[in-house]
């Protein structure tokens, strides 16, 4: 494989040098943060007065965590470390788990963010000859403009299509010879089903790659998109609190996402004891910005569950890779006392050949018990099959495989393909209809 690097001196930085750089950057970030109302108070309470309190990377443990709740409390300007006049842009998180949080960028922040997205895109083998259709929501969501600027930085032709309207997406792909797209994995699956439905010939489009992120998905889902669309799919991880996209990204090796450690200091902690875990163990990702000026954030608890790979990547980048995100700790469902991540269900359904490209998890209360139903789309040919034994056998196979994987016995409903709702933003995979405890 021929590897290419956008920022070779940074991406292949020797790890000892990277650590020295990180320590300096943490100290600078801390000094900036101390200027904000929020951290001014928070750090004083923790007895941290300045850079001298953090003389080694290990001392970072002294800094208290920041949570989404803190960002909401500090809303609107409590975490701003520059004058309002220096702010060029704001973005807000999609609000999956409540009130959205707002992130501010000054000119340098936009430049460094753009560089991170550009290096991520470039690491997948794309270059200025590519035509990039950005099929993700623009606006307050960071995925639109973040990828847009990154693509332009490389010199690609960027088509700001946004999501939705699949017929129009196909037209754009054909007219301009799109070679790479960015979308949520659920939208890519939807695009593929629509392509078949509308009879779009694969030969008429030049697609080679896709960046898929913004929501958790399984390795089987990746493989399915790759096989059906005959492209390479690269996992893209980011969150608005850390700019948006360009936090961690898969290189051509497609084996875990390089987390850009010259821009973020990463820890994985045990979400119960809050202690940092050794490399290789699974826990919650905690991130500190290393270059952000307008809004530095220290030890942000992402709630995202992952682990570091311990081996180096063949591409030569020295930045450690994280595993596919298992989900957020707050996505976890408790069904009759059993903890289940929606991603465990996805792994099973997407691994079954007859299952179509969409599914929905419904949780209800039946008397005192929780009832889990998994609705899965089934291709039209099978669905129309007169022989009910065929459908029953498929249903029973899904149920049995799920039960083995999650230990809860689910009800499985088969529905026609393209009949479950498709979201333009992040997919809504779970409908929890249980009454909330008061
Ligand atoms: P919100 O927090 O409101 O959903 P964001 O746009 O900031 O808004 O979403 C960031 C979150 O999206 C991450 O914390 C993570 O949970 C999820 N996410 C982003 N990219 C991925 C990915 N590649 N795999 C799994 N989850 C992802
Ligand atoms: Zn690599």
């Amino acid at each position: 494989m021929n590897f290419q690097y956008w920022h070779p001196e940074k991406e292949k930085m020797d790890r000892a040098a990277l650590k020295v750089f990180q320590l300096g950057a943490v100290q600078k970030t801390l000094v900036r943060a101390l200027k904000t109302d929020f951290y001014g108070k928070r750090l004083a309470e923790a007895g941290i007065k300045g850079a001298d309190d953090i003389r080694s990377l290990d001392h970072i443990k002294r800094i208290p965590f920041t949570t989404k709740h803190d960002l909401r409390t500090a809303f609107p300007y409590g975490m701003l470390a520059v004058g309002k006049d220096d702010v060029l842009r704001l973005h807000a998180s999609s609000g999956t788990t409540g009130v959205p949080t707002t992130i501010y960028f000054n000119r340098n922040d936009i430049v460094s963010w753009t560089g991170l997205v550009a290096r991520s895109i470039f690491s997948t083998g794309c270059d200025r000859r590519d035509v990039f259709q950005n099929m993700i929501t623009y606006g307050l969501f960071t995925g639109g403009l973040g990828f847009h600027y990154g693509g332009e930085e490389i010199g690609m032709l960027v088509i700001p299509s946004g999501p939705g309207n699949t017929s129009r997406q196909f037209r754009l792909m054909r007219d301009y010879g799109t070679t790479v797209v960015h979308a949520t994995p659920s939208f890519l699956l939807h695009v593929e089903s629509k392509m078949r439905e509308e009879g779009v010939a694969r030969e008429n489009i030049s697609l080679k790659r896709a960046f898929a992120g913004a929501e958790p998905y399984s390795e089987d889902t990746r493989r399915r998109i790759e096989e059906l669309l005959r492209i390479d799919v690269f996992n893209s991880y980011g969150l608005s609190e850390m700019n948006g996209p360009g936090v961690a990204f898969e290189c051509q090796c497609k084996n875990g996402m390089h987390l850009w450690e010259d821009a973020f200091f990463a820890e994985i902690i045990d979400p119960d004891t809050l202690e940092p875990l050794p490399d290789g163990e699974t826990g919650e990702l905690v991130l500190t910005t290393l270059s952000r000026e307008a809004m530095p954030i220290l030890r942000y608890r992402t709630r995202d569950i992952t682990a570091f790979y311990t081996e180096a990547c063949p591409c030569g980048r020295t930045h450690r890779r994280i595993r596919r995100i298992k989900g957020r700790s707050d996505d976890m469902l408790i069904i009759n006392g059993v903890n289940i991540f929606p991603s465990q269900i996805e792994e099973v359904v997407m691994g079954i050949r007859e299952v179509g490209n969409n599914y929905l998890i419904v949780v209800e209360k039946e008397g005192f018990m929780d009832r889990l139903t998994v609705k899965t789309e089934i291709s039209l040919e099978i669905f129309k099959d007169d022989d009910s034994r065929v459908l029953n056998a498929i249903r029973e196979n899904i149920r049995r495989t799920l039960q083995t994987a999650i230990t809860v016995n689910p009800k499985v409903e088969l529905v026609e393909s393209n009949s479950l709702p498709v979201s333009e933003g992040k997919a809504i995979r779970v409908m929890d209809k249980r009454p909330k405890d008061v």
Side-chain angles (χ1 to χ4, degrees):
M1 223 181 277
N2 254 341
F3 298 115
Q4 54 180 30
Y5 313 92
W6 189 249
H7 296 140
E9 69 298 342
K10 290 180 182 161
E11 293 169 49
K12 293 192 280 181
M13 196 191 270
D14 162 74
R15 283 208 66 84
L18 184 58
K19 284 190 177 160
V20 173
F21 172 83
Q22 284 188 319
L23 178 60
V26 167
Q27 291 171 334
K28 261 194 232 156
T29 301
L30 180 76
V31 172
R32 282 192 159 272
L34 278 163
K35 290 195 269 184
T36 68
D37 292 344
F38 173 81
Y39 283 115
K41 265 196 229 114
R42 173 64 63 91
L43 294 171
E45 280 161 19
I48 297 173
K49 291 183 212 67
D52 279 354
D53 292 307
I54 309 293
R55 289 182 311 281
S56 83
L57 286 175
D58 212 35
H59 291 163
I60 287 184
K61 278 197 277 188
R62 299 177 180 169
I63 303 177
F65 294 107
T66 305
T67 62
K68 219 178 186 63
H69 176 75
D70 292 326
L71 267 86
R72 291 188 183 128
T73 315
F75 180 84
Y77 295 120
M79 284 196 190
L80 204 57
V82 296
K84 258 191 255 173
D85 292 352
D86 290 326
V87 174
L88 294 194
R89 198 192 303 164
L90 66 77
H91 278 287
S93 78
S94 32
T96 317
T97 54
V99 186
T101 46
T102 310
I103 302 297
Y104 302 95
F105 300 76
N106 72 2
R107 194 173 299 278
N108 289 343
D109 294 334
I110 301 273
V111 170
S112 51
W113 179 24
T114 298
L116 292 171
V117 179
R119 91 161 69 143
S120 303
I121 294 178
F122 203 66
S123 79
T124 66
C126 289
D127 61 34
R128 60 195 302 277
R129 292 167 296 184
D130 278 288
V131 177
F132 172 37
Q133 192 163 319
N134 195 13
M135 306 195 295
I136 209 124
T137 315
Y138 276 65
L140 287 177
F141 179 60
T142 51
L145 286 177
F147 265 91
H148 189 102
Y149 273 51
E152 285 187 350
E153 177 78 0
I154 290 177
M156 300 161 122
L157 169 59
V158 185
I159 310 173
S161 64
N165 197 338
T166 40
S167 312
R168 187 170 134 264
Q169 302 282 6
F170 298 139
R171 193 163 359 101
L172 292 171
M173 284 181 197
R174 277 192 301 248
D175 288 352
Y176 304 110
T178 302
T179 56
V180 51
V181 292
H182 169 221
T184 57
S186 47
F187 190 68
L188 285 174
L189 285 169
H190 177 63
V191 161
E192 194 280 325
S193 327
K194 282 289 189 190
M195 227 166 124
R196 261 182 295 162
E197 196 180 292
E198 295 183 23
V200 177
R202 177 63 181 87
E203 296 69 54
N204 293 340
I205 56 169
S206 333
L207 210 56
K208 287 198 283 242
R209 295 182 179 86
F211 313 130
E215 62 190 22
Y217 61 113
S218 62
E219 198 53 44
D220 276 322
T221 299
R222 184 228 297 265
R223 217 167 302 129
R224 182 182 277 245
I225 302 171
E226 291 193 323
E227 280 166 14
L228 291 171
L229 287 174
R230 280 177 269 147
I231 56 172
D232 281 306
V233 173
F234 299 87
N235 197 358
S236 154
Y237 170 76
L239 59 163
S240 53
E241 292 80 1
M242 298 288 130
N243 301 335
V247 174
F249 218 92
E250 276 183 328
C251 68
Q252 279 159 290
C253 302
K254 291 200 292 192
N255 192 10
M257 300 177 278
H258 288 283
L259 193 143
W260 301 126
E261 294 183 271
D262 57 330
F264 306 99
F265 179 80
E267 301 164 82
I268 288 185
I269 62 161
D270 177 325
D272 297 321
T273 66
L274 306 182
E275 283 300 314
L277 291 170
D279 273 14
E281 288 191 24
T282 301
E284 179 183 336
L285 184 65
V286 170
L287 295 169
T288 298
T289 63
L290 294 181
S291 55
R292 249 207 342 229
E293 296 185 355
M295 196 166 166
I297 298 185
L298 307 171
R299 301 194 85 201
Y300 182 69
R301 288 191 61 182
T302 65
R303 309 272 168 190
D304 292 326
I305 304 296
T306 183
F308 277 116
Y309 281 89
T310 47
E311 329 78 62
C313 184
C315 76
R317 288 180 182 80
T318 50
H319 301 238
R320 284 175 301 172
R321 288 164 301 152
I322 51 167
R323 290 185 185 277
R324 194 171 278 289
I325 309 283
K326 220 170 147 185
R328 297 193 200 210
S329 47
D330 33 14
D331 285 343
M332 197 179 68
L333 293 166
I334 304 181
I335 304 205
N336 297 325
V338 181
N339 297 350
I340 300 169
F341 274 106
S343 60
Q344 290 173 275
I345 296 178
E346 168 163 333
E347 254 162 51
V348 170
V349 294
M350 286 294 147
I352 295 177
R353 199 171 38 84
E354 294 89 354
V355 172
N357 286 347
N358 203 353
Y359 69 95
L360 181 69
I361 300 165
V362 183
V363 192
E364 287 152 306
K365 205 82 186 161
E366 240 177 43
F368 291 108
M369 298 299 283
D370 298 322
R371 182 38 136 171
L372 173 71
T373 306
V374 181
K375 299 187 180 194
T376 55
E377 287 189 356
I378 294 291
S379 74
L380 206 57
E381 306 87 70
I382 308 184
F383 201 77
K384 292 261 164 76
D385 197 320
D386 286 335
D387 190 350
S388 62
R389 277 174 308 181
V390 176
L391 280 182
N392 285 341
I394 295 172
R395 191 181 303 114
E396 180 53 19
N397 177 30
I398 301 174
R399 192 200 59 74
R400 210 173 337 104
T401 325
L402 270 173
Q403 187 175 17
T404 311
I406 60 177
T407 72
V408 165
N409 184 15
K411 195 170 134 198
V412 173
E413 265 179 42
L414 304 182
V415 300
E416 217 175 290
S417 64
N418 290 328
S419 67
L420 290 172
V422 182
S423 153
E424 286 209 343
K426 296 176 193 246
I428 297 163
R429 297 296 195 194
V430 180
M431 275 173 72
D432 196 337
K433 298 183 175 167
R434 290 174 292 187
K436 297 267 169 295
D437 289 339
V438 273

